[in-house]
């Protein structure tokens, strides 16, 4: 969110001074998964700077590691599956992650579970389904450095072509002369 906000500020300031040049980005916040919290500390956001990796799911984690992390996710001593961020942050986090991973609304998911074990297991499986293609593709590309370099070059050229149009618009707005 903070990156979008600073980008908005810069675009609005530039546009206000030099005329409509940049598109002002809009913040789009999904209903579920906008803020994913640590599986071991559900009141803190999931972050790679956390004290322990046990509450963090990395895109390149092995499926077995992901399952293990979700099985050990903090819930509470109660057994009722209910979405209540204030009183049940761990369970609510699992429901948010499952909703974001499956596209199903949280209300629908709550009615499907009566125990935490099944919720944890299904959430782990749903996350694996989302990240496994990423992990697999990463491994394929790391095995073929030539293909990786080729794809990076193609992406670089594509990005350069798109950015050149915007950069030229910005230069024209400011009044910079083209390079000779």
């Amino acid at each position: 969110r903070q990156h979008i906000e600073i980008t908005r500020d810069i675009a609005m300031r530039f546009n206000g001074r030099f005329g409509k040049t940049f598109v002002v980005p809009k913040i789009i916040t999904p209903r579920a998964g906008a803020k994913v919290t640590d599986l071991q500390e559900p009141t803190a956001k999931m972050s790679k700077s956390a004290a322990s990796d046990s509450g963090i799911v990395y895109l390149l984690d092995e499926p077995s590691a992901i399952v293990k992390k979700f099985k050990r996710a903090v819930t509470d001593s109660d057994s009722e599956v209910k979405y209540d961020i204030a009183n049940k942050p761990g369970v609510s986090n699992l429901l948010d992650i499952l909703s974001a991973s499956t596209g199903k609304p949280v209300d629908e998911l709550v009615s499907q579970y009566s125990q935490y074990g099944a919720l944890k297991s299904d959430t782990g499986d749903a996350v694996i389904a989302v990240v496994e293609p990423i992990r697999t593709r990463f491994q394929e590309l790391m095995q073929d450095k030539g293909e990786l370099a080729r794809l990076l070059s193609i992406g670089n050229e594509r990005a350069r072509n798109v950015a050149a149009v915007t950069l030229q618009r910005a230069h024209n707005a400011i009044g910079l002369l083209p390079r000779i």
Side-chain angles (χ1 to χ4, degrees):
R1 183 179 195 103
Q2 65 192 9
H3 299 282
I4 299 295
E5 287 176 7
I6 194 167
T7 303
R8 285 179 56 80
D9 291 345
I10 292 167
M12 288 188 298
R13 185 172 292 173
F14 190 96
N15 289 350
R17 185 164 182 191
F18 297 109
K20 178 93 171 109
T21 306
F22 295 115
V23 174
V24 178
K26 295 179 185 173
I27 296 173
I28 299 172
T29 307
R31 291 179 190 237
K35 180 182 178 187
V36 177
T37 60
D38 192 291
L39 297 175
Q40 293 300 310
E41 185 61 45
T43 57
K45 76 174 192 169
M46 191 179 285
S47 171
K48 60 186 178 195
S49 62
S52 167
D53 282 351
S54 60
I56 305 164
V57 177
Y58 294 102
L59 293 176
L60 301 179
D61 277 348
E62 292 285 335
S64 61
I66 294 173
V67 167
K68 187 176 182 179
K69 289 177 182 184
F70 276 98
K71 284 187 178 181
R72 292 183 176 177
V74 170
T75 49
D76 54 47
S77 58
D78 188 8
S79 62
E80 181 185 14
V81 176
K82 176 178 156 185
Y83 191 83
D84 180 352
I85 294 173
N87 298 311
K88 293 178 154 295
V91 175
S92 299
N93 186 38
L94 291 172
L95 289 165
D96 275 337
I97 293 169
L98 183 58
S99 176
S101 299
T102 62
K104 293 180 182 176
V106 169
D107 296 340
E108 181 183 321
L109 294 170
V110 168
S111 65
Q112 294 177 4
Y113 296 96
S114 60
Q115 296 180 341
Y116 295 156
L119 174 61
K120 290 178 177 184
S121 178
D122 288 353
T123 305
D125 291 343
V127 169
I128 289 168
V130 170
V131 301
E132 186 60 23
I134 297 166
R135 191 173 85 72
T136 300
R137 184 64 175 142
F138 174 84
Q139 290 173 336
E140 289 170 0
L141 290 172
M142 293 312 290
Q143 294 298 318
D144 188 352
K145 302 288 186 177
E147 177 65 1
L148 178 59
R150 186 185 76 77
L151 291 173
L152 286 171
S153 177
I154 290 169
N156 182 6
E157 186 62 31
R158 207 179 289 163
R160 187 180 312 277
N161 291 337
V162 170
V165 174
T166 305
L167 185 60
Q168 186 59 53
R169 241 185 7 248
H171 283 177
N172 292 343
I174 294 172
L176 291 176
L177 297 174
R179 279 193 217 170
I180 299 176

